[in-house]
Amino acid sequence: MQRYFVPAATWSEQTIKIIGDDVHHIKRVMRFKVGDQIICSHPDGHAAICKITILDNNVVYVDIVEWLDQNVELPVEVTIAQGLPKADKLEMIVQKGTELGASNFIPFQASRSVVKWDEKRQDKKLKRLSKIVKEASEQSHRNKVPMIYPNQSLSELIDLASSYDFKVFAYEEEAKTSEYHSLSSVLKQVGEQQRIFVCIGPEGGFTEAEAVSLKDNGFQAIRLGPRILRTETASLYALACISYHFEEMRCN
Amino acid sequence: MQRYFVPAATWSEQTIKIIGDDVHHIKRVMRFKVGDQIICSHPDGHAAICKITILDNNVVYVDIVEWLDQNVELPVEVTIAQGLPKADKLEMIVQKGTELGASNFIPFQASRSVVKWDEKRQDKKLKRLSKIVKEASEQSHRNKVPMIYPNQSLSELIDLASSYDFKVFAYEEEAKTSEYHSLSSVLKQVGEQQRIFVCIGPEGGFTEAEAVSLKDNGFQAIRLGPRILRTETASLYALACISYHFEEMRCN
């Protein structure tokens, strides 16, 4: 069933009002009629099967039929901080990262980021990224839509990470030593509902100065397997491993 | 150090002759000079640090300086069979799948594949995909370049898979039941150097008839986590989990 994330303001006890882009999607893309059913997700993570009662030009009304108790959110909260990569790679990272269960995405200006975001560009980019995570959340049946942060500096990033239970960064040099730390050594210490901050460099990775600064602020350097991954593959690898560790290893 | 995969025919005991596209890459892209060092990989998986001795118009000669014993291949052999997806998704799948350690990629014509490959199109596609896996192998420092198979039917695919130790397919319906099988339940049975065949449907997944046919031929239906993944994310999830299980869980 098609899922829509509806802002809290338009929910009442029995009825939900849907406005904006979703109206176009419901009427023109999915071609739903009065009586058809959709799933509406509330920002608090709850979701309900709803029946369409009114299809108007710029507004759709639905009645709540049944509350769902399915929860497909990761049992830990994962934030992906991504050094600004080239081209449209960030779009791919947030789309796939949403499918894989990330809670937050924080782009940051790394030393080796070739791309720069000025204010005008940032507004446009953030709007586009927010649209991508909303659609990916709907498609992958997430209960919550991940948050996209504005672009940060490394020191701002370190501040943001200070409240997290575990902080790691992917460091290519770590993959080359025999004394490396793996993501699994960290995940084994993480308990339910704890928060993990995963920091990924841009193309070319972190500079030595950045690595020192991260280590000085409680970040552990880890490798993400023995092969060298492209920047846009690294966060997806980390998220898939976190899902496997917490969601799949514990079942038959 | 930059890595090149060089066909067996041009290796002699001390010297390697490099021809074709790599000459352009060495001279024009990397701008290497005589005396610079590169890594050359032999198709048998061995690799050596080599010094450039001659840079000619259409040929480069290098001397072997030191054999390397690093091996970053997955300890199990993974074949990804991918139902033909839309647009250029297959290119992304083989690029990322190579970084993540796959040994073979087999495209196949699934019932819900919208794309069709005629013979002319297939030749062009396979050439392009082969170039992508070669470059991704070099970039991720693989010892071997994965193989790309021509497009198969489902029954040809089932024949190809018959010699594998473990055969699984990602089935969306499996994710929805509470009695699901996870990838981890399979991986726990897999021993070193055994062969795993992972079959992923196109957009929309497998039809019920395809699922029955795969099950009748020894394929286990598995879920890939609780969220619904796009087709191009599914194989990457599976490969990352296999890497995590065999390469990362066993170290600190």
Side-chain angles (χ1 to χ4, degrees), chain B residues 63-89:
Chain B
D63 277 355
I64 294 169
V65 176
E66 186 192 340
W67 285 95
L68 298 170
D69 56 3
Q70 59 180 171
N71 183 359
V72 297
E73 293 299 311
L74 272 177
V76 291
E77 183 184 323
V78 185
T79 292
I80 300 291
Q82 171 72 50
L84 279 191
K86 287 183 198 163
D88 55 359
K89 285 183 185 172

Side-chain angles (χ1 to χ4, degrees), chain B residues 234-248:
Chain B
S235 57
L236 312 184
Y237 180 95
L239 284 163
C241 295
I242 292 170
S243 162
Y244 186 73
H245 190 101
F246 292 104
E247 299 179 317
E248 301 300 289

Side-chain angles (χ1 to χ4, degrees), chain A residues 99-146:
Chain A
E99 293 172 54
L100 294 168
S103 288
N104 305 288
F105 297 98
I106 312 181
F108 72 96
Q109 198 73 43
S111 298
R112 292 192 180 132
S113 289
V114 177
V115 176
K116 309 266 178 246
W117 280 8
D118 57 28
E119 208 156 316
K120 196 177 148 200
R121 190 166 187 185
Q122 165 149 305
D123 286 350
K124 213 176 130 193
K125 283 277 184 193
L126 293 180
K127 213 172 152 186
R128 170 128 183 88
L129 293 173
S130 299
K131 190 164 184 272
I132 289 170
V133 295
K134 181 169 177 286
E135 287 172 358
S137 299
E138 288 165 354
Q139 187 272 333
S140 58
H141 295 200
R142 291 276 306 262
N143 299 70
K144 288 190 177 183
V145 182

Side-chain angles (χ1 to χ4, degrees), chain B:
Chain B
M1 207 177 294
Q2 184 67 32
R3 181 180 288 258
Y4 297 94
F5 284 88
V6 185
T10 61
W11 291 64
S12 66
E13 205 172 327
Q14 275 304 321
T15 304
I16 309 164
K17 181 177 162 186
I18 300 171
I19 53 175
D21 288 349
D22 290 337
V23 173
H24 173 81
H25 195 269
I26 288 169
K27 291 176 61 180
R28 303 279 166 237
V29 181
M30 301 303 292
R31 298 180 183 208
F32 286 129
K33 306 282 172 221
V34 168
D36 284 343
Q37 294 193 332
I38 60 174
I39 295 173
C40 290
S41 287
H42 191 278
D44 70 5
H46 289 93
I49 295 177
C50 300
K51 193 156 80 177
I52 297 171
T53 54
I54 298 171
L55 273 171
D56 224 332
N57 264 347
N58 299 310
V59 61
V60 172
Y61 285 90
V62 301
D63 277 355
I64 294 169
V65 176
E66 186 192 340
W67 285 95
L68 298 170
D69 56 3
Q70 59 180 171
N71 183 359
V72 297
E73 293 299 311
L74 272 177
V76 291
E77 183 184 323
V78 185
T79 292
I80 300 291
Q82 171 72 50
L84 279 191
K86 287 183 198 163
D88 55 359
K89 285 183 185 172
L90 194 55
E91 298 186 5
M92 195 273 246
I93 291 166
V94 302
Q95 186 193 60
K96 306 289 165 241
T98 298
E99 294 173 53
L100 295 168
S103 289
N104 306 288
F105 296 98
I106 311 182
F108 71 96
Q109 197 74 44
S111 297
R112 292 193 180 131
S113 289
V114 177
V115 175
K116 310 266 177 249
W117 280 8
D118 58 28
E119 209 157 317
K120 199 178 147 198
R121 189 167 188 184
Q122 164 149 305
D123 285 352
K124 214 178 131 193
K125 284 277 182 193
L126 293 179
K127 214 172 152 186
R128 170 129 185 87
L129 293 172
S130 300
K131 191 163 182 273
I132 289 171
V133 294
K134 183 169 176 287
E135 285 172 1
S137 299
E138 288 166 355
Q139 187 271 337
S140 58
H141 295 200
R142 290 278 304 264
N143 298 67
K144 289 191 177 181
V145 182
M147 246 182 83
I148 309 265
Y149 282 65
N151 197 23
Q152 308 289 315
S153 67
L154 189 70
S155 60
E156 288 169 330
L157 196 72
I158 287 169
D159 280 350
L160 277 172
S162 61
S163 65
Y164 280 72
D165 302 296
F166 295 90
K167 299 179 274 189
V168 298
F169 70 108
Y171 197 37
E172 196 177 309
E173 298 306 314
E174 198 70 13
K176 291 181 189 159
T177 68
S178 51
E179 293 286 306
Y180 57 82
H181 289 89
S182 80
L183 183 56
S184 77
S185 63
V186 177
L187 297 187
K188 281 172 188 163
Q189 304 166 47
V190 177
E192 199 113 321
Q193 301 309 326
Q194 284 196 302
R195 301 167 75 216
I196 312 173
F197 197 98
V198 181
C199 200
I200 309 284
E203 292 89 353
F206 291 103
T207 60
E208 213 185 309
E210 286 174 323
V212 168
S213 177
L214 287 166
K215 281 183 187 170
D216 285 348
N217 285 281
F219 281 78
Q220 287 185 63
I222 53 160
R223 72 170 207 172
L224 296 171
R227 288 166 296 282
I228 304 299
L229 302 179
R230 278 183 167 80
T231 180
E232 72 273 22
T233 316
S235 57
L236 312 184
Y237 180 95
L239 284 163
C241 295
I242 292 170
S243 162
Y244 186 73
H245 190 101
F246 292 104
E247 299 179 317
E248 301 300 289
M249 289 291 287
R250 296 191 182 167
C251 49
N252 336 303

